[in-house]
Amino acid sequence: MASTTDTMSLNLKIWRQKDPTVEGKLVDYKVDNVSPDQSFLEMIDVLNDQLVRKGEDPIAFDHDCREGICGMCSMTIDGKAHGGFKNTTTCQVHMRLYKSGDTIVIEPFRAQAFPVIKDLTVDRSAIDKVMAAGGYVTANTGNAPDGNAIPIPKPVADAAMDAAACIGCGACVASCPNGSGMLFMSAKVSQLALLPQGKPEAPRRALNMVYTHDSLGFGNCSVHAECEATCPKGISIEHIARANREYMKAAFSYHEKTHSEGGA
Amino acid sequence: MMTSAVNHYFRSSIGRKHLVGITGLLLCGFLVSHLLGNLLLLVGPDAFNLYAHKLVSLGGLLYVLEAGLALVFLVHMYLAVRLNLENLRSRGKYAVKKRTGRGTTLMSATMPYTGMILLVFLVLHLMNLKFGSVYTTVVDGTEMRDIYKTTMEYFASPVSVGWYVFAMFCAAFHTAHGFSSAFQSLGWNHPKYYGKVKIIGYLYAILVGGGFAFVSVWAYLKGV
Ligand code: HEM
Ligand code: FES
């Protein structure tokens, strides 16, 4: 490969923090021989390799699939979640997007709801808790139903699919000036409210997911739409609007029967 | 929790934003009616005084309307401030400045500040005009308050006009984001219309903010 000969040197300022209980700080590192073909995470791998050889503690960071589908990678690069490239997760950022000699500041995804575990890794389990509160449909097990048994109009299926693209990375929360999880939460409320399979539980889902979202330290929406601009899957705040409608309907019209009223 | 869904609504992130949105849009409507009244200044002293007199003559109904307006203001301010204080706690504290400016605009980022300025303005505005100097005049044989004179006197001072224009600039800023934001908060975001709602919001901000500022500058130039 031709480009391997023009390697880059980069100055990095990386957030180092031993554990959640201590203060962290930005530490300067220099990496040489960075290939423009490397991904951002591979560049950190190279740095970690150097650190380990020197007997230093490598930088802890989250990653898994490294192909933009799992939502595990994070990092706030130069103040932007996932580096701020359109529809791109950190693992899909390539070093050719930077110039040799650049200084890059790398911090964790920050929010009240995402406490730092170590260095660049944060605890994003709040996202799982919101999901567990209603981001599912209750269905009988058995054979897979016929795909054509429930007709869904194409525009509706498309809208639901757009919302379903969420990989739960938390970039919306990290980029939101209010640390709100509204885009993530609403994507699931919206996706399932659009589909016939999700409709029966839609009111209960909206109530439970909003309630759980609010109780975990996420902020409120001020409609900055920073989340929409940052989302690596390009999810629109239209889904927040739909969740707002779903929640309003549910709050004023849904009543779950208690046991004494004959409910389950 | 289920049985108290309505209860939770008034404490939830989304429920409270609905209320900020509804009250915000009501205030947007109030500003339009207020501006239309102000434009009567251009028509002349009698037209303006008669209009004000008609309002005052509503008697009990006016008090009900004023109380309603005060309530709308209070709910809007209380919830907006509460939500923003919570947001300060929830936001991530970055070591370097977080780069916004992709979704966030100067208008959206300054909502709490322009709101606070509007609050200060509101108090001074009531003190200087509604509860300002009282003159009387006679129009068509009826004695009434000469609020035209109070207003023109107030706007004779360049300091008053400067502050007023600044406050209206803030009102324009506040509504330029607020107008369309309220639609989103209330769940009215459809790809077909939201772009147009945004444009209407900007036009609203320019026309209403600019309209108020224009009337004050006109009054200053006309002199007492
Ligand atoms: C005539 C005066 C006012 C008008 C027309 C107005 C209008 C609006 C509108 C339409 C919104 C958007 C609501 C939404 O996003 O759902 C808004 C938001 C807001 N207003 Fe006002 N408002 C006025 C006065 C005030 C005052 C006096 C304050 C004082 C504190 C204030 C503070 C705020 C804040 C902080 C927000 C943003 C809330 C958020 O974080 O989303 N507003 N306003
Ligand atoms: S590592 Fe899976 S999306 Fe980046």
Side-chain angles (χ1 to χ4, degrees), chain A residues 14-18 29 44-53 55-61 118-120:
Chain A
I14 303 182
W15 186 260
R16 299 303 310 259
Q17 181 171 343
K18 231 173 91 217
Y29 295 97
I44 307 274
D45 289 337
V46 170
L47 174 62
N48 272 345
D49 187 56
Q50 291 172 12
L51 292 178
V52 170
R53 279 168 207 277
E56 288 178 33
D57 194 21
I59 296 148
F61 64 98
K118 184 176 195 288
D119 300 337
L120 302 175

Side-chain angles (χ1 to χ4, degrees), chain B residues 121-172:
Chain B
F121 170 79
L122 184 70
V123 174
L124 293 176
H125 186 65
L126 288 175
M127 277 165 49
N128 290 327
L129 295 158
K130 188 175 169 70
F131 302 110
S133 44
V134 178
Y135 304 103
T136 44
T137 181
V138 176
V139 183
D140 300 338
T142 320
E143 194 178 283
M144 60 184 67
R145 182 174 175 190
D146 193 351
I147 187 78
Y148 180 86
K149 188 169 174 192
T150 310
T151 310
M152 296 305 272
E153 243 179 38
Y154 178 70
F155 285 133
S157 143
V159 177
S160 304
V161 176
W163 160 244
Y164 191 89
V165 170
F166 169 69
M168 289 309 108
F169 183 77
C170 292

Side-chain angles (χ1 to χ4, degrees), chain A residues 113-126:
Chain A
F114 292 168
V116 172
I117 298 171
K118 184 176 195 288
D119 300 337
L120 302 175
T121 57
V122 297
D123 180 357
R124 284 174 282 178
S125 58

Side-chain angles (χ1 to χ4, degrees), chain A residues 15 26 76 78-81 83-85 105 107-113 173-179 182 185 204 207-208 210-211 213-214 217-226 229-230 236-238 240-245 247-248 250-252 254-256 258, chain B residues 1-18 22 82-105 107-112 177 180-191 194 198:
Chain A
W15 186 260
L26 287 172
T76 303
D78 288 335
K80 296 179 225 165
F85 305 99
V105 183
E107 288 190 71
F109 271 8
R110 291 189 196 276
Q112 160 87 5
V173 182
S175 65
C176 175
N178 304 343
M182 209 57 83
M185 188 266 294
R204 170 195 235 192
L207 292 176
N208 285 341
V210 173
Y211 180 84
H213 169 276
D214 292 358
F218 291 109
N220 311 291
C221 179
S222 290
V223 198
H224 295 298
E226 197 70 26
T230 305
S236 157
I237 61 165
E238 265 165 66
I240 300 184
R242 185 171 292 103
N244 289 350
R245 299 200 290 275
Y247 177 73
M248 176 149 31
F252 288 105
Y254 182 70
H255 173 69
E256 192 153 302
T258 59
Chain B
M1 180 198 112
M2 278 303 167
T3 45
S4 61
V6 174
N7 212 342
H8 176 247
Y9 176 87
F10 292 103
R11 271 181 269 133
S12 71
S13 52
I14 294 182
R16 287 180 298 168
K17 260 324 279 275
H18 282 155
I22 292 168
R82 272 295 297 269
L83 289 168
N84 276 275
L85 290 177
E86 289 174 15
N87 294 343
L88 281 182
R89 271 203 303 277
S90 302
R91 70 158 39 137
K93 275 109 197 138
Y94 284 91
V96 295
K97 193 171 164 9
K98 181 159 58 164
R99 296 268 184 79
T100 51
R102 284 173 298 162
T104 314
T105 59
M107 274 106 62
S108 73
T110 52
M111 288 304 272
H177 172 74
S180 57
S181 170
F183 278 74
Q184 161 77 14
S185 298
L186 291 165
W188 298 327
N189 175 345
H190 188 281
Y194 198 58
K198 274 194 171 164

Side-chain angles (χ1 to χ4, degrees), chain A residues 157-216:
Chain A
D158 285 350
M161 200 61 207
D162 288 346
C166 174
I167 53 175
C169 65
C172 44
V173 182
S175 65
C176 175
N178 304 343
S180 174
M182 209 57 83
L183 188 66
F184 158 76
M185 188 266 294
S186 71
K188 199 49 69 184
V189 168
S190 172
Q191 177 208 335
L192 296 178
L194 282 163
L195 298 174
Q197 294 90 335
K199 283 215 165 80
E201 287 167 300
R204 170 195 235 192
R205 175 182 309 112
L207 292 176
N208 285 341
M209 287 186 83
V210 173
Y211 180 84
T212 308
H213 169 276
D214 292 358
S215 61
L216 290 171

Side-chain angles (χ1 to χ4, degrees), chain A residues 19-39:
Chain A
D19 62 58
T21 61
V22 298
E23 286 276 308
K25 63 173 193 301
L26 287 172
V27 177
D28 290 324
Y29 295 97
K30 195 165 159 49
V31 262
D32 298 315
N33 296 322
V34 175
S35 154
D37 299 330
Q38 274 173 345
S39 75

